[in-house]
Amino acid sequence: MNQIWNIVKWEFMNRVKSKLFLITTFLLPFFMGGMMYLPTLLMDIEPEETTEIGLVFEDDILDLTERFQTQMSSIHKLKDGNPQFIFNRFQSNEIALDSVLSKSIDGFLFIPSTVMDTGEVEYFSFSLSNIKIYTQIRRVLNQGVIEQRMIEQNIDMSMVGQLSRRISFDTFKIDEDGETSEGNELASFIIPYLFLMILFMTVFMSGQILLRSVMEERTSRTIEILLSSVTPDELMRGKILGLGALGLTQMCFYLIVGLIATEYKELATIDFSLIPLFLIYFVTGYLFYAAIFAAMGTFFTSEQEAQQSSGVISIIAVLPMIFASYFITNPESAFTIGATYIPPLTPFMMIIRIGTKSVEMTEIIISTVLMIVSCWVMLKLSGKIFRTAILLYGKKATVQEVYRWIRD
Amino acid sequence: MLNLSNLIKQYEGVRAVDDVSFSVEQGDVFGFLGPNGAGKTTTIRMIMGIIQQDSGTIELNGKNINLIGRNNLGYLPEDRGLYQKQKLEETIIYFGILRGLSKLDAKTKTNEWLERFGIGDQGNRKIEELSKGNQQKIQFILSLIHDPSLLILDEPFTGLDPINQLLLKEIIQEKREEGKTILFSTHQMEQVERLCTNICLINQGKIIVEGSLENVKKSHSSDSVDVRFTGELNIEKAKSFFSEMAIKGSSISGVLSCEPRDFLTWMNESVIVQSFQIHVPSLEQIFIEEVKKSS
């Protein structure tokens, strides 16, 4: 027990002091935050350049196009207050096309006279990647066409604006006690996702460190010196616990940063009751994967091999992240619930679902028991492999050999 | 005193160690020899409790070695290495603590040993920055920082310059005088001849030669001699002392068929003997001969 504690201290202190650990731990939240906020930030920046759009239409829809142009210039403005869009009328698509080719306009809009019936409009441009430009055009034109239809039905011009105004759609979240609070679509998506990311990163970061550390002790032959003082079991436990403590430290840090960030951005309020649950799924999730990584560390002789195979393992664990938007939007579907009870996925699935607040106490208990049993089995198997394979440095074990160690 | 009796270890039906028994007295440096793959490392690992024997017992000072606590054992493995990225002082302290020292003790002893090896000023350097020889010294320190009563040294001299080899030898002698039991394994036979009183040679898991170095040598010395003389020698008479013989001017070499003393007495009576040399085989020759014989 004493030896395990000595190893725990060594593994933890060494890593926690290392520059690489400090840098990744402190920079990652900023990086992640940047990834999340930067695109929306960029979208919100007002454009600095005017966009010139060609218009091709027949005189019979002059009314429509004039109103469209007026509205565009009143809604979309540049930083300096001038209209963002400048429109030029062209006689035909061919002429407009030539102007696009000679780059004198950015694109052109073909509005056929049948637009009032078919609602079909065509937009041509070199680049369609600036979604913002054509969504702005579409939205205003759409409104214009609807209004024009009303006018043609002899509805009073002054009524049109009023009749076609939008509804306001507010969302509310109901909690267990029937209390309602103002909901935020973004928040209900971001919180589970954030939880999942934090759990995934900390479990895998510590797991990878464990894998490398076991491998390093083996390939550098430090293991022979170590094993003359401690048993393989003590070594394995000490390493798993020490690096687990490291992951836990990292997780707490991310959790605090994450919650402060969401609070600050008014996306959600900090819910401290989730912390014990986080601990349960971190500890069981970490132990499950640590068992795999510790055993893997005794197998490989090169960094490359280890990297590749740990990649394979993380593909399994990354599944909840790939399907996260489905799981978040369908927290009660059979697929979501089924995936919750596959042990390698359980901690990640539970964290997503806790974020969406769709789990019952019974599910928490069942999943916790399931994870404890799975961890126990995995650690048992891993211990058997570790004990034998840790001293084989020259050759790589075969599948049959591994099977025999596990069976013995 | 270290006592191994009837030690057996099998791997997949092959006996890596096959009924090995020997004893090492306190205050003795015992040469544990054998070719590559003979079963030395397996035997040492069993003594260290790194692996368990299939049968047989290992006792240190009369007690089962598994029960006396591994802090009494010190081991310098042949296949050795250290955490490359760590500072050497921290690493030695860590291993000192793992071997049962308090943090304070570990620190004091680390500094003492680093001083003794002349690298006291390098405690804060990373191990990867050290020369191979200096890394070797660190590993040696790790094996005895906790002052164990049994010290197992597997190839301790490789990679060291003559001055450091001398220092190492001095320390081994010191430990012997303190009454430690020392098991010394190496392929450098001249080191064994200089350091050991008793040896044991194993091959293919079995002991093939065992005993005091002196007796081993005696039992392997043939009666082959080289003699230089002046004077008229009765060659026919001389030949009768030999089973095979070559004479070249005034020197004879060959294998005696009688006691060397009898031949020397006769020679002294008939000629003036300038030199008389009985061949004692080197340990290296014995090693090669015995291993070839048993393979």
Side-chain angles (χ1 to χ4, degrees):
Chain A
M1 207 51 223
N2 209 0
Q3 293 292 54
I4 295 179
W5 179 235
N6 288 331
I7 299 168
V8 169
K9 274 193 289 189
W10 168 259
E11 294 289 341
F12 180 80
M13 288 314 291
N14 264 329
R15 311 283 165 176
V16 92
K17 281 190 297 187
S18 88
K19 286 188 201 91
L20 191 68
F21 175 79
L22 292 176
I23 291 170
T24 48
T25 305
F26 284 106
L27 289 188
L28 211 62
F30 294 103
F31 181 70
M32 298 281 300
M35 294 274 282
M36 275 186 196
Y37 290 121
L38 215 58
T40 51
L41 221 63
L42 288 177
M43 289 290 258
D44 286 344
I45 294 175
E46 288 174 331
E48 288 174 12
E49 282 176 33
T50 48
T51 310
E52 287 192 47
I53 303 287
L55 291 177
V56 179
F57 58 91
E58 298 295 324
D59 282 345
D60 52 355
I61 51 167
L62 200 63
D63 267 11
L64 171 69
T65 52
E66 269 172 6
R67 252 206 350 278
F68 165 68
Q69 289 178 53
T70 332
Q71 286 194 1
M72 279 301 278
S73 49
S74 71
I75 296 173
H76 300 295
K77 285 193 161 56
L78 294 177
K79 250 182 179 171
D80 56 15
N82 288 323
Q84 183 195 344
F85 292 95
I86 293 173
F87 295 99
N88 293 315
R89 187 174 174 184
F90 290 90
Q91 287 310 315
S92 70
N93 281 358
E94 287 71 30
I95 303 169
L97 190 65
D98 283 343
S99 298
V100 173
L101 289 174
S102 65
K103 307 231 162 134
S104 57
I105 56 170
D106 295 286
F108 73 91
L109 197 61
F110 172 57
I111 311 172
S113 299
T114 54
V115 67
M116 302 308 292
D117 298 328
T118 61
E120 277 169 13
V121 173
E122 287 163 347
Y123 176 72
F124 302 85
S125 174
F126 262 132
S127 156
L128 291 176
S129 57
N130 195 342
I131 305 168
K132 216 173 154 185
I133 288 181
Y134 60 84
T135 46
Q136 283 168 340
I137 294 173
R138 188 182 56 205
R139 202 172 289 151
V140 174
L141 188 57
N142 186 36
Q143 189 70 14
V145 169
I146 292 171
E147 285 173 11
Q148 189 65 29
R149 283 180 188 146
M150 292 183 185
I151 292 164
E152 282 175 15
Q153 294 298 318
N154 292 321
I155 293 171
D156 186 355
M157 202 36 195
S158 61
M159 295 279 286
V160 168
Q162 219 179 330
L163 287 174
S164 61
R165 72 179 185 276
R166 296 184 175 208
I167 59 159
S168 122
F169 192 89
D170 293 332
T171 52
F172 294 91
K173 198 158 191 162
I174 306 172
D175 66 12
E176 313 256 304
D177 305 324
E179 300 262 333
T180 56
S181 56
E182 224 172 303
N184 184 326
E185 288 165 56
L186 194 58
S188 57
F189 193 83
I190 275 185
I191 294 298
Y193 208 80
L194 184 76
F195 282 1
L196 179 64
M197 290 292 280
I198 291 174
L199 187 70
F200 180 81
M201 278 184 321
T202 46
V203 163
F204 273 80
M205 247 186 218
S206 325
Q208 300 264 12
I209 296 176
L210 177 68
L211 168 68
R212 274 163 191 234
S213 153
V214 172
M215 230 179 63
E216 193 210 331
E217 277 169 6
R218 247 176 76 252
T219 50
S220 76
R221 308 289 192 260
T222 315
I223 195 71
E224 193 97 15
I225 301 178
L226 269 170
L227 289 185
S228 65
S229 293
V230 300
T231 65
D233 285 356
E234 285 169 336
L235 182 66
M236 183 173 141
R237 285 176 198 156
K239 292 185 88 72
I240 288 181
L241 292 177
L243 297 173
L246 185 78
L248 203 59
T249 313
Q250 204 174 29
M251 188 190 78
C252 291
F253 176 75
Y254 288 157
L255 216 50
I256 291 166
V257 172
L259 290 176
I260 289 174
T262 48
E263 172 97 321
Y264 172 73
K265 278 267 160 192
E266 294 180 339
L267 288 172
T269 44
I270 298 174
D271 188 352
F272 288 101
S273 65
L274 294 181
I275 289 178
L277 293 177
F278 234 100
L279 283 180
I280 292 173
Y281 295 112
F282 171 79
V283 170
T284 54
Y286 168 73
L287 287 178
F288 187 89
Y289 284 98
I292 297 174
F293 282 125
M296 268 170 50
T298 63
F299 266 59
F300 301 112
T301 41
S302 78
E303 190 89 346
Q304 220 177 350
E305 285 177 316
Q307 217 68 21
Q308 282 165 357
S309 22
S310 70
V312 174
I313 303 288
S314 47
I315 284 175
I316 301 169
V318 96
L319 286 177
M321 211 176 307
I322 295 172
F323 295 107
S325 51
Y326 173 81
F327 293 136
I328 293 169
T329 43
N330 302 284
E332 323 239 324
S333 81
F335 182 47
T336 307
I337 292 172
T340 308
Y341 296 102
I342 302 170
L345 307 182
T346 304
F348 304 113
M349 292 302 298
M350 284 304 286
I351 283 301
I352 296 181
R353 296 184 54 209
I354 286 166
T356 63
K357 304 213 168 139
S358 67
V359 276
E360 302 273 324
M361 197 60 201
T362 45
E363 285 207 84
I364 291 173
I365 294 168
I366 294 170
S367 64
T368 308
V369 171
L370 174 72
M371 279 319 285
I372 291 172
V373 173
S374 316
C375 288
W376 184 81
V377 171
M378 291 305 285
L379 287 168
K380 203 87 188 155
L381 293 181
S382 167
K384 286 185 173 189
I385 295 171
F386 192 91
R387 236 167 279 153
T388 319
I390 191 90
L391 280 170
L392 302 173
Y393 355 84
K395 57 171 193 172
K396 208 171 344 168
T398 62
V399 179
Q400 287 95 328
E401 279 176 307
V402 175
Y403 175 68
R404 201 169 49 239
W405 300 333
I406 292 174
R407 204 190 41 199
D408 286 345
Chain B
M1 183 169 143
L2 175 72
N3 216 335
L4 274 66
S5 45
N6 311 102
L7 219 51
I8 293 175
K9 179 74 187 177
Q10 281 192 175
Y11 286 115
E12 288 156 31
V14 179
R15 287 197 173 185
V17 174
D18 190 359
D19 201 23
V20 165
S21 308
F22 63 81
S23 307
V24 187
E25 298 291 333
Q26 265 177 285
D28 188 14
V29 180
F30 187 88
F32 187 44
L33 318 174
N36 299 326
K40 283 179 307 204
T41 305
T42 308
T43 308
I44 292 172
R45 283 180 177 173
M46 285 189 279
I47 299 172
M48 289 307 301
I50 295 173
I51 52 174
Q52 290 300 313
Q53 62 266 35
D54 297 335
S55 68
T57 54
I58 306 170
E59 289 179 343
L60 182 64
N61 301 330
K63 287 182 206 128
N64 183 329
I65 202 153
N66 285 333
L67 302 176
I68 60 167
R70 296 211 266 173
N71 293 339
N72 288 298
L73 319 178
Y75 176 30
L76 174 68
E78 183 190 7
D79 226 345
R80 57 197 161 220
L82 286 169
Y83 297 113
Q84 292 296 305
K85 304 268 173 220
Q86 305 295 342
K87 289 178 181 168
L88 64 99
E89 190 181 355
E90 284 176 2
T91 307
I92 304 174
I93 293 174
Y94 171 52
F95 279 98
I97 292 170
L98 284 184
R99 283 153 167 73
L101 296 178
S102 71
K103 191 163 185 180
L104 195 71
D105 272 358
K107 214 167 181 162
T108 329
K109 294 209 166 168
T110 300
N111 290 328
E112 277 171 25
W113 279 109
L114 287 177
E115 283 299 329
R116 179 142 192 205
F117 274 106
I119 43 176
D121 54 336
Q122 303 190 17
N124 274 322
R125 291 183 69 185
K126 283 184 181 172
I127 289 175
E128 63 185 353
E129 296 167 7
L130 295 183
S131 70
K132 199 165 170 260
N134 280 344
Q135 293 201 24
Q136 174 96 341
K137 292 179 194 170
I138 308 297
Q139 283 148 346
F140 185 69
I141 295 173
L142 294 185
S143 68
L144 46 67
I145 187 164
H146 54 305
D147 202 25
S149 43
L150 171 68
L151 190 56
I152 299 177
L153 304 172
D154 199 347
E155 294 293 358
F157 294 103
T158 46
L160 289 182
D161 62 51
I163 294 169
N164 282 304
Q165 289 197 14
L166 210 64
L167 178 59
L168 210 69
K169 235 172 270 178
E170 195 182 290
I171 296 168
I172 294 172
Q173 299 284 10
E174 216 173 273
K175 290 287 152 191
R176 177 221 296 262
E177 278 153 30
E178 286 172 19
K180 311 289 185 202
T181 307
I182 301 165
L183 191 73
F184 173 46
S185 177
T186 183
H187 294 305
Q188 294 175 294
M189 294 301 146
E190 68 285 356
Q191 301 284 13
V192 179
E193 297 201 52
R194 252 171 258 166
L195 276 166
C196 300
T197 31
N198 294 294
I199 63 152
C200 142
L201 173 61
I202 73 168
N203 189 27
Q204 296 174 344
K206 287 195 176 87
I207 293 184
I208 50 174
V209 176
E210 195 198 353
S212 75
L213 190 58
E214 204 186 324
N215 284 339
V216 168
K217 286 197 141 186
K218 209 176 273 171
S219 69
H220 282 82
S221 63
S222 59
D223 291 324
S224 122
V225 290
D226 276 323
V227 193
R228 291 180 146 271
F229 62 91
T230 48
E232 280 297 311
L233 187 72
N234 181 347
I235 293 172
E236 283 311 307
K237 173 74 178 156
K239 271 185 182 166
S240 69
F241 289 94
F242 284 88
S243 57
E244 53 184 273
M245 171 187 133
I247 188 157
K248 206 177 183 185
S250 58
S251 71
I252 307 174
S253 53
V255 182
L256 287 170
S257 56
C258 66
E259 279 295 304
R261 193 196 297 156
D262 296 341
F263 175 62
L264 184 59
T265 316
W266 175 77
M267 282 288 279
N268 273 329
E269 282 162 7
S270 44
V271 289
I272 299 162
V273 178
Q274 288 182 318
S275 74
F276 186 88
Q277 196 181 12
I278 302 177
H279 282 279
V280 177
S282 68
L283 192 54
E284 191 168 327
Q285 287 167 322
I286 298 173
F287 182 100
I288 293 167
E289 184 188 322
E290 287 293 336
V291 168
K292 274 190 179 158
K293 210 160 50 177
S294 67
S295 295

